[in-house]
Amino acid sequence: MKRWGDLSQDSADHLTAGSVLDQAEMAVVVTDRFSNVLYWNPFAERLFGRPGGDEGKESLLSLGITTEKDHPLTAELAKSVLRGGVWEGTFDIVRADGTMIYVRAQAVPLRHPSGSVTGIVITAREAMRSNEREKDRFGLLERIGERLAGSLYVEETLNRVADMLVPQFADHCFIELVEGDRLIRKVSHHVNGWSPPPESWLPVGGEVRYPPGHYADTALRRQETILIEDFSQVSYPAPSEASVRICGEIGMTSAIVAPLCVRGETLGLMYLSLSNLTDRRSPHYDTFDRDFVGAIATRVAVAVDNALLFEEERHTAESFQKHLLPRELPTLDGLEIAVRYCPAAPLVSHGQGIQTQVGGDWYDVIPLSAGRVGIVIGDVEGRGAKAAAVMGQLRAALRAFAQDDKPPADILARLDEWTRIVAAPERDDFGEDITNPPIVTCQYLVYDAWSRQLSFANAGHAPPLLIVNGNVTELDISEVGQPLGVHAKGVHADLVYKEETRTLPPGAALLLYTDGLVDRRPPRDSEEQPPSEDETLRMLCDKVAKIAGDSVERIADAATTAIPGEIDDDMAILVIRSVGAELQYEEQTFPAQPIMVGEARRMASDAFERWEVPEERAELACLLVSEVVTNVVLHAASASVPRRDLIMDGPPLPFDESWDVPGFEDEVVSDKEFTLRLRRGEESVWVEVFDQDLRLPRIRSAGENDEGGRGLYLVDQLAKRWGSRPTREGKAVWFEIPVGGR
């Protein structure tokens, strides 16, 4: 008889290192000093869910044994072991089929007979699948907490939970959240891609109603984790006959239901179950599993609560931003417009906590006199509620300033002063003013679709892109002023902001944008250096040039996605295009004499007839032309000549008799001139009267027996809009008459 331990030659042949490792129920991976895989056994191949590849040519990172998030942990492992130490920890592994499991790993040095460390030996097993579950529990809870902490959105958080629990802890995972007085299913996740047949288990979005006495109803009412160790030993009321049938078909064996409780409130339920769809060593949960799932549910509840709070804050922030920006764009003659706004990405990864997505970027389109339009793009430095509040004040102020119809440089000069006013006052210990106004870049443009003239002034903002005949270049701006609120004291803003003028060719487009478009955060999985400013601009121009002939909406969409990477700051885009067709207008200059009032009215009548303006609207416009021109003629004389306004009593007279007042033409004699300009739009006609008088008109309160003072009152009552603006030679008085109803 052989001694204990004596082996036959046949048995000894099967005890080679390779054969033993092939039979081991534990993953064994051997790497060199540079983490290149030299060997791994068949169990490692099954555990990690991917073939080993060519040994010696693959690294731990390239084989995906550790996720990208765990790369620093892998570096720590290698550093510790190569110094001769032993490392132990928990990894989350994403298999080739996309499923995720947690493994407990131990790494020791691989030593040469001389004693030097030549590599690393890693042994790994699936966590919670051995007698060391208590030891694994803390590492697993830490890893699960880390994964949940990186999620900001409810849907993303719940999907992460399901990925963590299936297939490692469950074959089926349901998560339901309380909405009002209803329980709504948010997640239905199953092992190996299996899906429940229709009309069996409720789908995502369905309202779940557990009958009284059901274990899930008990967990919800008692706020405690319920374990069903073996369904064959107990019986519970079922939500429906279909659910009973599907449970029997898949062989449901065990379940755990944990309430999601936080701050004394129940947010919902997390339901885990095992079935015969997988071949597990133990198809039943035990009390240890119940306690562990309860601990997981506590962390899940906190993560879901944080995500719900963040989504509520995000909704509030987006609503705030939405109401600060124009709700809808006006319809403008001769101009196509498209806008885009993307809020900033959360800054959780920047070490600044979860911040709101509002920012200080804005755009605006402001209808001005006689069909002209003001176009604005701006950016307040910083982000958050403060930047958005400053932006809202500046946008409102700019809209008010724009109504004065002053040149763009003057508008920016006034806005610069306002930027200093909105800054919160601050003083140092000695009482000195140390107020820091917000830094704001802004560009204000005024476009006249009839003359195609573009006037603009720039306050430190990026030049817009000019798109002409498929070519995309930056608009040539020779005078780029400083950002608002930063010019030196004692230097008036008029010296900082200069106006420039360009004429846009028919069909030309402008792309205005804020720096959030080009300043992108590199993708997380990219190791390449971010592109320079010149490269970024070139990418944007190339992308826009490819679809330059498409609609402004397509151009805006292309610009939004032109630069790779994640949006790091809020972004505003505004695209305008000058239409190719010429718009209708008439213009004529007359001597400022009373006899010319009838001529001006006759010119307007002929133009309105050619433009097919409805007769009623044409007569109303001609009446107001007479009132405005008369006012100009009366005030064109020298101050020493008596002036009196023409009183309109009764209906208007025919054209050839309206202004034949005996002696009136002899009262006012002047060599001055006025210009009458008429414009036809899609929905309105505009009338402008230019003269050399610098005094702007105002409405007078005429008494019952006064002879004049009612002309501008009629204009104010009968026109849709009216106003006046200064010009280089004097002033312009204008009014708008809708072509259709008022």
Side-chain angles (χ1 to χ4, degrees):
M1 181 177 179
K2 293 185 178 180
R3 292 174 299 171
W4 181 259
D6 288 346
L7 299 174
S8 64
Q9 183 62 40
D10 183 61
S11 299
D13 291 340
H14 291 284
L15 285 178
T16 61
S19 61
V20 172
L21 291 175
D22 287 347
Q23 300 297 322
E25 289 293 312
M26 176 174 284
V28 179
V29 181
V30 181
T31 74
D32 60 15
R33 293 179 58 87
F34 305 101
S35 298
N36 295 314
V37 176
L38 302 177
Y39 169 82
W40 66 0
N41 67 344
F43 188 86
E45 190 173 314
R46 296 196 301 273
L47 179 65
F48 299 134
R50 65 186 74 230
D54 296 333
E55 295 170 357
K57 296 183 179 180
E58 301 284 355
S59 70
L60 286 175
L61 303 184
S62 63
L63 284 174
I65 292 180
T66 60
T67 60
E68 180 190 353
K69 185 174 64 67
D70 282 339
H71 287 181
L73 198 62
T74 308
E76 177 189 334
L77 178 155
K79 186 176 181 180
S80 175
V81 174
L82 292 176
R83 288 178 176 176
V86 176
W87 186 93
E88 188 172 355
T90 304
F91 286 108
D92 44 322
I93 305 299
V94 179
R95 293 174 165 178
D97 61 359
T99 59
M100 190 191 73
I101 62 169
Y102 290 96
V103 299
R104 188 71 179 174
Q106 185 183 64
V108 299
L110 177 66
R111 296 185 180 274
H112 189 267
S114 63
S116 62
V117 178
T118 60
I120 303 172
V121 179
I122 302 173
T123 57
R125 56 180 172 76
E126 190 174 349
M128 305 293 288
R129 290 292 179 264
S130 73
N131 294 329
E132 299 184 2
R133 291 192 297 172
E134 184 70 31
K135 188 176 180 180
D136 293 347
R137 178 175 179 174
F138 300 104
L140 265 176
L141 288 177
E142 180 183 0
R143 301 296 293 168
I144 290 173
E146 289 176 0
R147 286 187 60 85
L148 291 176
S151 175
L152 296 174
Y153 303 98
V154 174
E155 182 178 352
E156 179 185 0
T157 299
L158 298 180
N159 287 329
R160 284 193 181 190
V161 172
D163 290 338
M164 288 187 296
L165 299 178
V166 177
Q168 181 151 16
F169 300 108
D171 296 335
H172 312 276
C173 173
F174 299 106
I175 300 178
E176 291 133 12
L177 297 184
V178 176
E179 294 183 0
D181 58 351
R182 303 189 306 162
L183 191 64
I184 305 299
R185 180 156 291 171
K186 297 295 184 179
V187 169
S188 177
H189 196 61
H190 308 277
V191 72
N192 298 329
W194 180 84
S195 297
E199 308 299 330
S200 57
W201 285 334
L202 280 175
V204 173
E207 180 181 356
V208 183
R209 298 187 179 185
Y210 293 109
H214 193 277
Y215 51 92
D217 179 67
T218 303
L220 196 62
R221 287 187 293 103
R222 296 182 181 177
Q223 292 189 347
E224 65 179 47
T225 304
I226 301 297
L227 165 68
I228 307 301
E229 195 165 343
D230 190 346
F231 277 113
S232 64
Q233 304 297 321
V234 293
S235 177
Y236 292 95
S240 66
E241 291 295 331
S243 65
V244 174
R245 185 168 56 254
I246 192 63
C247 288
E249 291 177 1
I250 64 176
M252 190 80 75
T253 58
S254 188
I256 297 176
V257 183
L260 304 178
C261 300
V262 64
R263 294 184 288 110
E265 297 183 5
T266 302
L267 302 181
L269 287 175
M270 183 173 70
Y271 185 114
L272 305 178
S273 63
L274 299 174
S275 68
N276 292 331
L277 292 178
T278 56
D279 183 16
R280 297 177 183 272
R281 183 173 298 176
S282 174
H284 301 281
Y285 291 123
D286 57 20
T287 55
F288 183 90
D289 295 320
R290 179 196 61 194
D291 295 340
F292 182 66
V293 171
I296 294 177
T298 300
R299 286 159 174 77
V300 171
V302 173
V304 171
D305 187 50
N306 288 337
L308 288 171
L309 291 174
F310 175 75
E311 289 205 350
E312 182 179 355
E313 182 182 1
R314 182 188 63 173
H315 176 72
T316 301
E318 290 181 349
S319 298
F320 180 40
Q321 187 82 45
K322 179 180 178 181
H323 286 82
L324 287 176
L325 294 172
R327 296 191 180 183
E328 60 182 18
L329 298 177
T331 301
L332 301 168
D333 291 295
L335 205 60
E336 299 173 359
I337 304 176
V339 295
R340 296 290 183 273
Y341 178 81
C342 296
L347 285 179
V348 64
S349 60
H350 288 197
Q352 302 180 34
I354 301 174
Q355 295 190 0
T356 58
Q357 294 177 302
V358 293
D361 292 14
W362 91 95
Y363 59 83
D364 208 349
V365 179
I366 308 170
L368 300 177
S369 63
R372 296 155 62 248
V373 58
I375 302 165
V376 188
I377 192 80
D379 185 0
V380 179
E381 184 185 40
R383 62 189 298 179
K386 181 178 179 180
V390 172
M391 177 269 284
Q393 294 182 70
L394 292 179
R395 175 175 174 258
L398 193 147
R399 287 187 71 91
F401 298 156
Q403 299 308 314
D404 290 344
D405 267 334
K406 290 187 177 180
D410 293 347
I411 299 296
L412 288 187
R414 293 190 64 184
L415 195 63
D416 175 79
E417 295 299 326
W418 185 257
T419 304
R420 297 174 179 275
I421 294 174
V422 299
E426 299 179 47
R427 296 187 180 277
D428 61 13
D429 296 337
F430 302 99
E432 294 293 331
D433 185 5
I434 56 172
T435 303
N436 292 318
I439 299 177
V440 183
T441 63
C442 180
Q443 181 147 0
Y444 180 60
L445 311 90
V446 175
Y447 180 65
D448 187 335
W450 280 262
S451 65
R452 301 188 187 277
Q453 188 176 80
L454 182 73
S455 302
F456 57 88
N458 189 295
H461 201 82
L465 299 183
L466 177 62
I467 308 168
V468 180
N469 298 327
N471 297 319
V472 182
T473 58
E474 283 191 320
L475 182 66
D476 180 28
I477 300 179
S478 57
E479 297 286 348
V480 177
Q482 294 178 347
L484 303 175
V486 301
H487 73 261
K489 292 184 178 180
V491 179
H492 196 270
D494 291 344
L495 303 177
V496 179
Y497 307 114
K498 303 295 183 181
E499 181 179 353
E500 300 182 54
T501 302
R502 303 284 187 275
T503 299
L504 291 185
L510 283 176
L511 170 63
L512 297 88
Y513 60 92
T514 59
D515 57 6
L517 173 63
V518 293
D519 294 341
R520 296 294 181 96
R521 186 189 309 165
R524 298 178 183 178
D525 56 351
S526 175
E527 298 181 359
E528 299 180 359
Q529 291 293 328
S532 64
E533 293 184 6
D534 291 340
E535 293 172 337
T536 301
L537 180 61
R538 192 180 309 114
M539 282 190 288
L540 177 60
C541 292
D542 292 344
K543 190 69 175 289
V544 171
K546 293 179 181 178
I547 48 91
D550 292 355
S551 66
V552 290
E553 295 289 341
R554 288 287 309 278
I555 293 176
D557 289 336
T560 303
T561 59
I563 310 301
E566 301 178 18
I567 296 177
D568 193 42
D569 192 7
D570 57 334
M571 172 185 69
I573 297 176
L574 192 151
V575 183
I576 63 170
R577 171 177 283 157
S578 170
V579 299
E582 296 292 336
L583 301 181
Q584 296 174 310
Y585 77 99
E586 290 283 342
E587 181 177 318
Q588 188 172 341
T589 300
F590 301 91
Q593 299 175 5
I595 196 173
M596 292 294 107
V597 175
E599 292 298 323
R601 182 165 175 166
R602 190 171 292 108
M603 167 196 164
S605 177
D606 294 342
F608 295 152
E609 183 177 358
R610 288 196 305 273
W611 295 343
E612 299 181 352
V613 177
E615 182 178 356
E616 179 184 356
R617 293 293 158 183
E619 289 183 359
L620 174 60
C622 289
L623 169 64
L624 300 187
V625 166
S626 300
E627 294 294 343
V628 174
V629 171
T630 299
N631 192 69
V632 168
V633 171
L634 289 176
H635 291 84
S638 62
S640 60
V641 178
R643 301 175 184 170
R644 61 188 177 94
D645 292 333
L646 182 65
I647 303 172
M648 293 295 299
D649 292 326
L653 299 175
F655 293 159
D656 55 348
E657 301 177 3
S658 301
W659 303 104
D660 295 340
V661 181
F664 179 70
E665 63 274 11
D666 299 328
E667 275 188 11
V668 180
V669 180
S670 173
D671 57 354
K672 296 184 179 180
E673 298 177 331
F674 68 89
T675 299
L676 177 63
R677 179 187 294 168
L678 310 174
R679 296 184 171 193
R680 173 70 154 91
E682 183 69 23
E683 299 179 356
S684 299
V685 293
W686 286 273
V687 175
E688 293 177 284
V689 180
F690 300 84
D691 68 352
Q692 294 79 36
D693 194 339
L694 298 175
R695 294 168 296 176
L696 298 180
R698 61 183 179 86
I699 299 178
R700 294 172 53 191
S701 298
E704 183 178 352
N705 299 320
D706 289 348
E707 294 183 358
R710 297 177 178 84
L712 289 181
Y713 176 78
L714 283 176
V715 176
D716 182 66
Q717 293 296 308
L718 299 178
K720 180 180 180 180
R721 292 192 306 153
W722 80 279
S724 60
R725 69 175 188 272
T727 63
R728 293 180 179 179
E729 296 80 16
K731 70 173 182 297
V733 181
W734 62 274
F735 62 84
E736 176 184 355
I737 298 293
V739 173
R742 179 164 184 172

